[in-house]
Every structure is written in C-alpha cells, then in structure tokens.
Amino acid sequence: MTITASTVQPALQRYRPTELDTAPEVNELLERLGLGRFLPYGLTAFGGRNDNWAGTTVSGDQVFVKTVARAPDGTSPELDRTLAYEELAGRFPSDSPLRSPAHLGTHRAAAISAYRLLPGARSGSEVALDGDFDDALCREAGRAVATLHGLDANGADIDAGEAPLPPLGWLEAFPWSALQERSMAQIAAWKLVQDDAEVVAALRLLRDRERAAPRTPAHCDLRFDQFIHHEGTLYLCDWEEFRIADPARDVGAFIGEWLFQATYSVFAPTGDPDAPALGFDLTHEEIIERGSAGLRRHIPRVAAFWQGYLECRDPDAGLAERAVGFAGWHMYDRLIATAQAHASLNPVARAAAGIGRVLLLNPSAAVATLRLEAPSGSS
C-alpha cells in the first residue's frame, strides 16, 4: 500500500488499497450480500498487516472489508476465531457496553469479511495521542472488556488453545526462520529478554499462574488501535486472537498501553524551543521528572478503566496482580513491535523494557500504585 495525498486530513490515516482486480473475492462477497460492488472512486484502506478496503458500494452502503491470514492448507484459524466472536455478539442486548461494528458477512474460502463502515471514526491510538482518551472513555473501555469477560460461552465453538505470546520457547533461543524475519532492533529487544534470567523466570511464572487462573472469553490482542470511537460511542474490533483465556491478559494490555504512552512522553517533544527535539539528550534527572509526570497523567486513566471493569464484573482474587505481570510483558511486546523498522534500539525502547522488568519482577507491589484496588468484599 502507498499513502495517498489529501488536502483534508481524515480521522483515520488513509492508504491506497490493493487493486480489486487482484482480489475479485471482495466484490463477489459484496454482491452476494446484496450490497453491490465497491464504487471505484473514494475507495481507501486503513493501516494494518492485512489487506482492507473501505468505501461505498453501488447500493449506497458504506462498507469496510478486510482479509485475515490463511494457513498453507487453506484454513484460517484467525477467521474461525473472528466468527466465533461474531456468533456470541449476536446474543448481545442492544444496550450492551460491548459494541463492535456490525458484521455483514464472510467469504470463507478467501478469508474475507465485510463490516458496516463507521465514517469519520477515530482509532483509539489517535484518540490517545490527541489526549482525548479521557477518564470517561477509559471507564467505557473497562465496562466493555468486563462485559466480554463475563459472556456466557456455553455451547459456543471458541478456541481454547493457549495464547501464543509470550512464546516461552523463544526465551531460550530464536528459531532460525524467525530470526531471518526480524530487524536488528527486534533481535536486540529479544536479547534484553533472553539475557535477563530474572525476567525469563518471571515470564515462566506468569504463564504458570495463567494456566491456573479462571478462564473467560478474551480479546487477547488488546491495544488502543483495536478501539474505534465514533459519534460518542466506543467500539472494540479485530477479533483474530479471540479465545478462552485468562482475562488478566486484556486488563494488563490496556494498562500496558498507558504505561507505554507514559514512557513515550518522556522523549516526545515538549513544545519548548530550547528542549531537545526528541528528548534523547535528557539528563537522568530530567528523564525521571518527565517519566513521573507522565505516570501521574496516565494512572488515573488506568484507575478509570478498572472502575468501569468492576462495575460490570467481579474479578477473581489474583486478577489484578496477574494483569500487572501482563502489563510488564506488554511493554516488551510493544517495544519489539515498534523496533521492526529500526536498526538499533532507541531510548524509548530501553525505558519501556525497564518499566516492564519492574512490573514483571514484582507485580504485587504495583497493584496499589496503579490503583487496581480490590472491589468491596473481595480478598
């Protein structure tokens, strides 16, 4: 995909989509659904690892179509997990705190699904970067995630396999095929994990605690960009990793997103013309000062999310502590992901690893700091 020029900045970054001539299944699906083909003008795409198309069909409907990965044998576990969620979503009451863009239909053989497009929507990443992911919106996110974890999955065909991350086998060494696909910065990020015996032991302990924990339906790939804000309503999307899992994964990922934001803010431009452009020349004292200020700004967002969560679900006694551990892993996961296009690790990545390490090694100590208080009457 290549970025298109535009005189008006859209709410979501737009890209030129893959030519539909190379993906005839897209229009085949739309016509089978009675929506007609995509109009060629105005057709765009959003960022992401999978091909997608957003636009208007000849019937006037605004539609978003996306592909998911297929295995060499033609199957698509990602599609199966997505459709398992959509089956559950059909049971939601109209006033459910958990909302997703309406699923219109799927072309199974091509692993393509169509959804109702939400024009003018902003991704949660943009909302957070703009400073608009406020306490009220975080509370709504907490209510949505808690509702997901409280869903009755009886009779539903949901993947119960273990979530792949963190990959315990990689804590010792990379498979050669994986090594070839990663940047030098990503290899350096993994080396931070592999060379730290305490972090390796903490991650193994976290996975052991996860296996012993109560399991619920869970998103298992929760990031800011999986949320969409449209006309005052928060939606949660991208269900390729949906499965039965430890709910602490989702809670920890949301916490980790805010902590990663706080880390990034240490090195982000401050608006002061005399300050370093990216903050990489800060003194240790200045880094501590900025980091503390970032945490003071973002921890209330974590607290608001947790408040919303408790309004809709009573967590098990160990969920908060496990969530802190998963927040620690999330810091490593995000720095590994953001290192994909770089040759070396920058100070943001190393700072994120430092915070992740603290959380993983002593999650119980961070529960109160992050304001993950137990609900009244709980252990």
Side-chain angles (χ1 to χ4, degrees):
M1 297 180 183
T2 55
I3 300 176
T4 57
S6 174
T7 56
V8 179
Q9 180 64 32
L12 285 170
Q13 182 63 62
R14 303 297 182 99
Y15 298 83
R16 182 179 298 121
T18 299
E19 294 294 334
L20 285 174
D21 288 346
T22 66
E25 302 90 349
V26 172
N27 279 326
E28 288 175 13
L29 171 61
L30 295 177
E31 290 179 333
R32 176 165 60 80
L33 295 174
L35 303 172
R37 304 168 67 86
F38 267 131
L39 295 173
Y41 52 84
L43 190 64
T44 60
F46 302 124
R49 69 181 187 273
N50 298 318
D51 279 338
N52 63 82
W53 299 262
T56 305
T57 68
V58 295
S59 64
D61 291 281
Q62 297 193 70
V63 180
F64 174 70
V65 177
K66 68 177 294 188
T67 65
V68 296
R70 282 182 287 179
D73 64 359
T75 62
S76 176
E78 291 187 359
L79 181 62
D80 292 340
R81 288 191 286 266
T82 298
L83 295 179
Y85 167 77
E86 296 298 344
E87 179 184 349
L88 276 186
R91 309 177 188 178
F92 296 173
S94 58
D95 60 349
S96 171
L98 176 59
R99 305 176 184 88
S100 298
H103 175 244
L104 303 175
T106 291
H107 189 312
R108 272 192 171 272
I112 294 175
S113 293
Y115 301 87
R116 187 70 62 192
L117 181 65
L118 303 176
R122 290 194 296 164
S123 77
S125 294
E126 291 174 289
V127 176
L129 288 172
D130 291 343
D132 296 332
F133 214 134
D134 56 16
D135 291 4
L137 211 54
C138 286
R139 177 172 167 268
E140 287 304 305
R143 288 171 55 81
V145 172
T147 300
L148 169 64
H149 295 166
L151 291 177
D152 180 5
N154 287 335
D157 184 14
I158 304 176
D159 187 348
E162 188 172 78
L165 298 175
L168 295 184
W170 289 21
L171 300 181
E172 302 297 334
F174 278 121
W176 177 246
S177 59
L179 185 67
Q180 293 176 300
E181 297 170 353
R182 274 151 183 84
S183 70
M184 293 301 295
Q186 285 182 308
I187 294 170
W190 269 108
K191 187 173 174 59
L192 287 177
V193 179
Q194 293 171 339
D195 289 351
D196 192 328
E198 290 184 303
V199 166
V200 169
L203 286 170
R204 293 191 183 282
L205 178 60
L206 179 62
R207 294 305 295 259
D208 288 342
R209 289 176 173 171
E210 174 188 25
R211 294 185 186 105
R215 306 206 308 164
T216 70
H219 189 282
C220 290
D221 191 26
L222 199 70
R223 302 188 308 271
F224 284 154
D225 58 3
Q226 312 293 33
F227 289 96
I228 297 174
H229 192 229
H230 179 250
E231 296 182 352
T233 298
L234 192 66
Y235 296 82
L236 185 55
C237 59
D238 292 349
W239 298 93
E240 290 90 340
E241 294 301 325
F242 174 68
R243 67 187 71 221
I244 301 296
D246 184 354
R249 280 186 168 271
D250 292 342
V251 176
F254 193 86
I255 296 168
E257 286 287 84
W258 281 116
L259 296 181
F260 197 79
Q261 285 275 326
T263 307
Y264 178 86
S265 69
V266 171
F267 300 95
T270 63
D272 180 355
D274 297 324
L278 289 175
F280 291 169
D281 296 328
L282 295 173
T283 66
H284 176 74
E285 290 73 17
E286 288 170 329
I287 290 174
I288 296 299
E289 181 181 353
R290 284 197 187 183
S292 298
L295 287 172
R296 286 194 296 271
R297 287 195 305 273
H298 295 326
I299 285 179
R301 307 291 187 261
V302 172
F305 172 87
W306 188 241
Q307 176 192 348
Y309 191 93
L310 297 182
E311 289 172 6
C312 293
R313 181 173 186 268
D314 290 330
D316 66 87
L319 188 148
E321 186 172 330
R322 297 195 312 279
V324 172
F326 278 113
W329 160 249
H330 190 82
M331 299 297 282
Y332 282 99
D333 185 49
R334 295 299 291 145
L335 78 89
I336 291 168
T338 55
Q340 182 176 2
H342 301 284
S344 60
L345 288 179
N346 61 37
V348 178
R350 296 188 181 276
I355 294 174
R357 186 179 196 277
V358 169
L359 298 178
L360 278 167
L361 297 190
N362 196 1
S364 60
V367 168
T369 302
L370 295 171
R371 295 169 59 182
L372 303 178
E373 293 90 355
S376 176
S378 295
S379 171

